[in-house]
Amino acid sequence: MSKITISLIKADIGGWPGHSSVHPALMETAESMLAPEKVSGKLIDFRIMAVGDDLQLLMSHTLGADNPEIHGLAWETFLKGTEKAKELKLYGAGQDILSDAFSGNIKGMGPGVAELEFEERGAEPLIAFMMDKTEPGAFNLPIFKMFADPFNTAGLIIDPGLHHGFILEIWDIREHKRVFMNSPEEMYDILALVGAKSRYVIKRVFPKPGKLPEDEPVAAISTEKLYQIAGKYVGKDDPVALVRCQSGLPALGEVLEPFSLGHLVSGWMRGSHNGPLMPCAFGDAHPTRFDGPPRVIAAGFQIANGTFVGPVDLFDDPAFDDTRRRVGEITDYMRRHGPFEPHRLPLEEMEYTTLPDILKLLGDRFADVEQ
Ligand code: F6R
Ligand code: MG
Ligand code: MG
């Protein structure tokens, strides 16, 4: 069989109510757009999913990453969904649709994209992670832990198939540059970058020479930042990721384990607050408390000749109950800081601000002072 491509493309095209969830009519519209393309053969298979107010199109095909037909199909689906969202007067209808004209690639137009092209193995487990109320850098910590932290991934120490580590592709999303770095050889340098998650984001992970082809990524993360694309705040840049597992890659449980921390991420309430990330079941992915706390869901599949066998709702597991309880406590703790940092983001990272107006109003009242 030729290589398959898995494309996960998402957009917020309207919330119900507010920014809390996706109306079922939008999922039905997406289904009606993608189903004929499975019949036509453009798609091998697809799944429609949702986290918070983000509609998720998971598609498999043989057309490769960045394919205009696949990106065009996603674009048309979001446009059609936006019509429906406008009809129902859903909140922020068409929020992530930043451009009127499609030019062959959906990147930079609003939606988020994660794509993996690879030769399907004898058995191919894959997890689609989808987050709401946060930013692409929220994946840095869990992806680093999965592929580079031996305290998370036992296989890095005891499995000969993983022992040599992985290659991380890291993007500077401000300067639009990228670098490939070796783990574990350059671990401290990698951490110096990816710990600064609002600027340096892990985009892809590649295997080192061994069992798996070196040019086929084993993980991919969406890195679109809407407010940078549009130059002003237009909506959230809630990210997604695709991660392959097992047989020379981190095991399913090693891929899920980093989410047991409930780590602090940026993007909660008005894209301007830090809060803990709650791993939750599909049915609980409706952030309502202070529009949060930020959520992540995990959809698990076996891939069979490009078809999706699943999803399994992987965080629907009592083993994550303690994490959720702790996230609740951290939510209380962070909320009690009100408008103070570090609950509120530093000035340069806030997506909403009144400060320029306030400073203008204060004018000369802000007098020089000797220090
Ligand atoms: C949206 C989000 C929300 C909104 C907030 C204000 O993804 O993070 O917290 O930023 O509800 O939304 P507006 O300005 O649309 O009233
Ligand atoms: Mg929204
Ligand atoms: Mg969202």
Side-chain angles (χ1 to χ4, degrees), residues 12 14-15 18-19 53 91-92 95 133:
D12 174 354
H19 293 281
D53 55 6
Y91 192 70
Q95 172 179 302
K133 307 293 180 265

Side-chain angles (χ1 to χ4, degrees), residues 68-106:
E69 284 186 55
I70 298 299
H71 283 216
L73 174 61
W75 185 250
E76 291 302 320
T77 303
F78 292 138
L79 288 185
K80 192 88 184 160
T82 297
E83 278 174 30
K84 189 76 200 169
K86 285 185 173 157
E87 197 183 303
L88 296 172
K89 290 189 69 180
L90 297 180
Y91 192 70
Q95 172 179 302
D96 288 352
I97 306 300
L98 304 184
S99 167
D100 294 334
F102 179 70
S103 57
N105 192 312
I106 209 163

Side-chain angles (χ1 to χ4, degrees), residues 124-147:
E124 187 66 64
L126 175 122
I127 304 179
F129 289 103
M130 294 155 271
M131 294 184 181
D132 188 40
K133 307 293 180 265
T134 185
E135 58 168 6
F139 273 110
N140 278 10
L141 183 143
I143 295 283
F144 177 85
K145 285 178 87 76
M146 290 170 208
F147 290 97

Side-chain angles (χ1 to χ4, degrees), residues 2 14 17 19 49 65 77 163 237 252 292 298:
S2 59
H19 293 281
M49 294 177 285
T77 303
H163 191 61
D237 38 23
L252 186 94

Side-chain angles (χ1 to χ4, degrees), residues 104-123:
N105 192 312
I106 209 163
K107 285 182 193 163
M109 301 186 74
V113 187
E115 295 187 299
L116 287 179
E117 186 182 5
F118 56 89
E119 185 123 18
E120 190 179 303
R121 294 174 292 169

